[in-house]
Amino acid sequence: MDIVLIFGIIFVISALSCKTANTVGLPTLVGFIAIGVVIGLFFEFEDMLIVEHICDFALLTIIFTGGFQTEFQKARPVLAMSSALSVAGTLMTAMLSAAFAYYILRLEFYQAMLLGAIISSTDVESVFSVLRSKQLDLKNNLGYVLELESGSNDPFAHILTVVFIALATGTPGVPLLFAQQILVGVASGIIIAKLGQFLINRLKVEVDSVYSVLLGGIALLTFGAASQFGGSGFLAVYVGGVIIGNGKLVHKGSLSRMYSSLSMLMQVILFIVLGVLFIPSLSSLEKSDILRVAGVGALFASFVFFVARPLTMFVVMKTFKRPLNEIVLVSWAGFRGASSIVFVTHVLLSKLPYAEYLFSIVFFVVMLSVIVQSSFIIPIARRLKLTDD
C-alpha cells in the first residue's frame, strides 16, 4: 500500500478517534495510543535513528510553540514560582522517583536514574486540551504556572536524560557535557532568535505563509545549531521561542494559530509512535514478564502521581505561600506525555541492555497518566473551586 495513503488513513482515523474517545468518556490521547498499538501489530520500525529524528522534530515543534505562545507580561506574577517548579521541582521529582525505582523496585542504579529523569517533566498541552474540551480556564494564574513550568522543564529533563545516558554508557567528561548542554543551548537560542526576529520583521512579502516557513526554519536552525555544538537543542528552541514570541513581530497572531495546530499534530504523532513501539518492546520480554512489567509500571506511576509530584509541589509552592487547593491541583496536573516518549526513544537508541524494559515502564506511566489524571482533572479542579469559564 502507498505510504501517502497509509498516512492519510492514520491521520483521518486519529481525528475521528477524538469524537469516539469523548463519547465513551476517555481522554482524546488514549485514542492516539490505541491507534499506534494497532499499527504496531503489523508494522515495526527498522531504524531507531529515524524514530529518534521524528520524535525530536515533533517535540522541538511543541516546545518552540510553547515558548512562542508564552506571554511573559501576563505571567510575570508567577514567573519566580514557575521557574522554581521547573528547575528544583523537576530535579526533586527525578531524584524521588529514581530513589523509589532503585530501593523499592530494585532497578539498577543508572536504570533507576534514567527512569526518574525521563518522567520528571510534564506535558501541559495534555492539560489544556482537556480544559479546552470543557471550555474551562484555571483561576489565580494557575494556567500560566503550568504553562511556564511545562515549557521550561522539558529541556531540563532532557539534559538530565542525556547526562545519565552518558554515565550509563561510560562516556567521559560528563560535568563538561552538563555545562555545555546548558550554556550552548541558551546561547544558540538567544543569538538565532534575535537574528530570526530581525529577518521576519524585515522580510516584507505579500504571501503570509512565507513567514510560517521562515519561522519553522528558524526553529530547526536553532535546534540543529545547538545540537551540533554539544548544547541542548530543546533548551535552545524554548529560549528562542520565548524571545521571538515576546518581541515585536509581524503576523504574530496568524503565526501563533498556525503553530498551535502544528503542535497538536506533532503531539498526535508522538502518541502514535508510543503505541507503535509498545508491541516490539513487549516482544523482547518473556511472556511471564509482561504482567510483571505492567505491575511495576502501575506501581511506579502511582508513586509519581501520589507521592513524588505532590511532595515536590508542596515543598516548592509552600515557599511561595500558595494555598493547599492550588498545590493539590498543580500536583495532579503534572501529566506525563510527549517529552517522556521522546526521551525514552533516546534510551532505546543508546542500546543499553535494559532499554526495552525502561520503555515498557514508561509506556504504562504515560498511559495511566493520560487515562487517570486526564479523566479526573476537571472534577478535581471544580471540587477545589479553581475553574472559570
Side-chain angles (χ1 to χ4, degrees), residues 326-368:
E326 293 185 10
I327 296 173
V328 171
L329 182 61
V330 172
S331 299
W332 190 255
F335 295 2
R336 269 60 196 175
S339 54
S340 297
I341 297 168
V342 175
F343 301 157
V344 80
T345 62
H346 291 191
V347 178
L348 288 173
L349 192 64
S350 70
K351 302 296 184 182
L352 288 167
Y354 43 74
E356 297 282 359
Y357 182 68
L358 276 184
F359 177 87
S360 299
I361 295 175
V362 171
F363 175 87
F364 286 110
V365 172
V366 172
M367 177 66 87
L368 289 171

Side-chain angles (χ1 to χ4, degrees), residues 165-174 177:
I165 288 176
L167 288 170
T169 54
T171 304
V174 172
L177 173 65

